[in-house]
Amino acid sequence: MVKKFFTSESVGMGHPDKVADRISDSILDACLAQDSESRVACETLVTTGMAVLAGEIRTNAQIDYQQIARDAIRRIGYVDEEFGMSADSCAVLVALGKQSPDIAQGVDASETKDVGAGDQGLMFGYACNATAEYMPLPIALAHRIINRLSEHRFNRTVGWLRPDAKSQVTVQFEDDKPVRIDAVVLSTQHNPDVSQEEIHDWVKREVILPSLPPELVDDALKFYINPTGQFVTGGPHGDAGLTGRKIIVDTYGGWARHGGGAFSGKDATKVDRSAAYMARYIAKNVVAAGLSDSCEVQLSYAIGVSDPVSVLVDLGATGRADPERVSDAVREIFPLTPSGIIKGLRLNRPIFERTSFGGHFGRSADGAYSWEQNLGVASDDYFTWEQTDKASELAQLLR
């Protein structure tokens, strides 16, 4: 029997890096809402009382970048100068340029060529049947804890919660099967007038334990709640934040591989984002088709070239089909060029702000949480890459 411990983390939308992600994706959405052919690569830096926007954008949209950034900060909950970041009073500096013509000539479609990949790179997608989310258990539990905490904050169950938060879950495995949860870490920003005893009792009772599978909880479970002893100073006031610095939180919590490219602030011609979504879509449908208990997909691209340089479908030790046949079926069923991915997953819509919190994977197709109404958008098929609508076709083709 092989015993091991594996840990994954999640962070709340008020974490400084996630503030930066949300601003970048809000700007992307604003461009796409007016011009679906927008080319966006927006990077954001946030620190005390300030957001800096940089990158390259080519669009026909008329955008008030400062207002978009302020609205995103407001939706997170930074509306009080006491937090060190207030949507109404913070400085927003704009240093956005235009997309390089050298890149544009390789990416743009013409009469003789399809849309090319916006950059070279390799992307991974993963899925497993260990959880209802088709995600590894440690990251699934870390996200559940953060999402439940966010629900309480937006519902104002208690009045002392502030936007910044981080969770971490360690699961004990034996022969790759989860047998118990060993430790949970949760740091939540709070008002200065609440005691740590009240925070500990409430967080353990109302947030952590309801988020965990009861069969994996025992008396030896260790809780680390606000382990520094206080978490009043947080968000961009406590630490600078940058777009794309939480790529492991965004994906599989370290359980599966990552190609290294960030997602937020990039339109779908950037295969760092779109191909990672397609790889997840493929892997999830492979598992849903019963071809394996887990699946990892790698795609790679060259800048300006439409077709992927390589496609790898890894079924692991639990595969129940010929990997070569599965790979052939994947190429037949799933579009793998940038334009095919964009059309197939409908990625030229303003859907990306919602991905900037709660993880890009492991969500329902509409991506909706009950507390998400502050976004002011209707539920729709936002997370199209989370659908399993190709599973029966895969199974039929490989029968």
Side-chain angles (χ1 to χ4, degrees):
M1 182 178 296
V2 179
K3 181 169 74 172
K4 68 179 182 182
F5 296 84
F6 196 92
T7 302
S8 293
E9 72 161 344
S10 180
V11 298
M13 66 178 71
H15 185 282
D17 294 330
K18 280 289 141 194
V19 175
D21 283 347
R22 188 160 187 171
I23 293 171
S24 293
D25 274 334
S26 296
I27 289 171
L28 170 61
D29 280 356
C31 292
L32 292 174
Q34 297 182 40
D35 178 7
S36 64
E37 300 300 316
S38 296
R39 299 288 183 261
V40 179
C42 179
E43 313 290 343
T44 303
L45 160 71
V46 293
T47 187
T48 302
M50 179 184 293
V52 181
L53 315 180
E56 303 80 41
I57 295 180
R58 190 187 75 192
T59 183
N60 292 319
Q62 299 298 311
I63 304 297
D64 184 341
Y65 294 112
Q66 290 189 340
Q67 190 60 51
I68 295 297
R70 293 183 191 282
D71 289 344
I73 293 167
R74 183 177 295 106
R75 284 191 288 271
I76 293 168
Y78 286 118
V79 293
D80 191 330
E81 290 188 6
E82 186 182 348
F83 298 171
M85 171 66 82
S86 173
D88 295 319
S89 61
C90 68
V92 180
L93 307 182
V94 180
L96 291 163
K98 294 184 178 180
Q99 185 182 52
S100 162
D102 294 343
I103 295 175
Q105 69 178 354
V107 175
D108 291 346
S110 68
E111 293 182 0
T112 59
K113 66 180 286 291
D114 196 0
V115 173
D119 201 351
Q120 71 175 44
L122 52 137
M123 302 83 207
F124 287 96
Y126 179 82
C128 62
N129 58 13
T131 62
E133 298 97 324
Y134 286 78
M135 293 286 281
L137 182 63
I139 187 66
L141 297 181
H143 281 328
R144 290 178 196 176
I145 288 170
I146 285 294
N147 290 333
R148 188 173 182 86
L149 186 69
S150 297
E151 179 180 10
H152 281 298
R153 180 166 70 89
F154 281 111
N155 290 340
R156 299 193 63 80
T157 307
V158 293
W160 43 261
L161 283 172
R162 290 184 176 181
D164 199 357
K166 301 178 74 171
S167 70
Q168 187 171 284
V169 177
T170 301
V171 179
Q172 179 181 334
F173 292 84
E174 292 180 357
D175 292 338
D176 288 330
K177 301 293 183 183
V179 295
R180 58 181 294 274
I181 299 167
D182 185 66
V184 174
V185 182
L186 181 60
S187 296
T188 179
Q189 190 185 13
H190 57 85
N191 291 346
D193 55 357
V194 62
S195 70
Q196 290 301 310
E197 290 75 18
E198 182 180 349
I199 293 172
H200 284 226
D201 291 344
W202 183 84
V203 163
K204 181 178 177 181
R205 182 181 68 253
E206 300 295 337
V207 178
I208 296 177
L209 289 176
S211 303
L212 305 179
E215 67 274 12
L216 298 181
V217 175
D218 59 26
D219 292 338
L221 171 58
K222 298 183 283 290
F223 297 90
Y224 301 93
I225 300 170
N226 283 5
T228 66
Q230 179 173 287
F231 188 10
V232 174
T233 303
H237 185 41
D239 191 10
L242 294 170
T243 300
R245 204 161 59 174
K246 283 291 174 284
I247 57 177
I248 301 303
V249 172
D250 287 343
T251 54
Y252 309 103
W255 185 274
R257 285 177 283 193
H258 193 294
F263 302 156
S264 291
K266 298 178 181 178
D267 73 86
T269 64
K270 281 73 169 174
V271 285
D272 277 341
R273 180 170 221 160
S274 55
Y277 289 178
M278 176 54 71
R280 161 67 175 177
Y281 182 47
I282 293 168
K284 189 171 181 179
N285 277 272
V286 167
V287 174
L291 304 179
S292 181
D293 292 340
S294 66
C295 177
E296 186 177 72
V297 175
Q298 187 199 52
L299 304 174
S300 68
Y301 292 83
I303 187 169
V305 179
S306 298
D307 291 316
V309 173
S310 68
V311 179
L312 172 65
V313 181
D314 185 355
L315 303 180
T318 60
R320 291 181 281 274
D322 179 358
E324 188 173 346
R325 289 189 63 210
V326 174
S327 184
D328 290 341
V330 163
R331 286 180 176 271
E332 180 176 339
I333 293 172
F334 297 92
L336 300 179
T337 64
S339 62
I341 295 172
I342 292 169
K343 182 179 179 180
L345 296 180
R346 293 185 289 146
L347 299 181
N348 59 351
R349 301 174 295 147
I351 61 172
F352 295 105
E353 181 184 359
R354 188 171 284 184
T355 68
S356 66
F357 55 91
H360 292 244
F361 308 127
R363 306 270 286 270
S364 61
D366 66 12
Y369 296 122
S370 60
W371 43 267
E372 219 180 4
Q373 300 307 312
N374 71 312
L375 273 178
V377 294
S379 294
D380 196 359
D381 290 335
Y382 277 64
F383 289 60
T384 49
W385 53 93
E386 290 298 315
Q387 296 175 340
T388 55
D389 54 327
K390 301 295 185 183
S392 59
E393 187 177 355
L394 266 173
Q396 181 70 25
L397 196 61
L398 291 163
R399 181 171 295 171

